[in-house]
Amino acid sequence: MIRRLLEKDAENMLQCLLDGETMRFMRLRNDRQSIENCKAFILKSFTAQNQHFAIVNEDDEWVGTISLKNIDYEVGAAEYAIITARQVHGKGIAFLATQELLKYAFFTLNLNRIYLNVVKENIRANNFYLKCGFEFEGCFRQAVRINGILHDLNWYSTLRNDCSLGK
């Protein structure tokens, strides 16, 4: 379901980043994306501080990226991020990938807290994070500008003790 990113993932990744509907609430500008940028991202995708994984289908084809960013081993925390191609939305793949990533974060990396932020207006994503077991922590008003418009950010987190995933 998740594995390290490979160069072969770049083309599918680029198609997702160029999809205006998928990127509507993202801070990445799709007009600045290229196959070279995707390949460069993949080459730097796995470090101690940032670990980005491919979400793959049964044919080992990239359908999304799921990440632990800004990993702080002293505090035991990391930021979660996910993006999936539109064709897999609503199919449960993101949920399963999130469960797999949380297991890795809590039981392999021994982290305690995983957090994220999401644009308040992105109702579908907000509901998804609640379904995955993240708890709402608060809202930062007018915290991010996307395409020239200020948006509120909702913040969520989950703790290892909250997690019902088992080792």
Side-chain angles (χ1 to χ4, degrees), residues 4 43-53 67-79 101 104-105 108-111 114-115:
R4 287 200 185 180
L43 284 174
K44 299 183 287 186
S45 67
F46 205 86
T47 67
Q49 289 75 37
N50 297 291
Q51 298 183 11
H52 306 280
F53 296 89
S67 307
L68 294 171
K69 306 186 308 182
N70 305 311
I71 301 170
D72 184 328
Y73 295 96
E74 184 177 337
V75 173
E79 182 178 359
L101 186 77
Y104 172 76
T108 300
L109 297 182
N110 200 31
L111 299 177
I114 306 301
Y115 61 92

Side-chain angles (χ1 to χ4, degrees), residues 2-37:
I2 69 173
R3 60 157 168 77
R4 287 200 185 180
L5 286 163
L6 302 172
E7 188 174 328
K8 73 175 188 168
D9 301 324
E11 185 59 44
N12 287 346
M13 182 185 292
L14 177 61
Q15 293 309 309
C16 179
L17 293 173
L18 294 175
D19 181 342
E21 180 60 27
T22 299
M23 299 301 292
R24 184 168 51 138
F25 294 113
M26 301 288 192
R27 288 172 255 181
L28 291 172
R29 290 192 41 190
N30 62 358
D31 63 336
R32 294 186 179 163
Q33 301 307 315
S34 68
I35 195 72
E36 293 79 19
N37 289 351

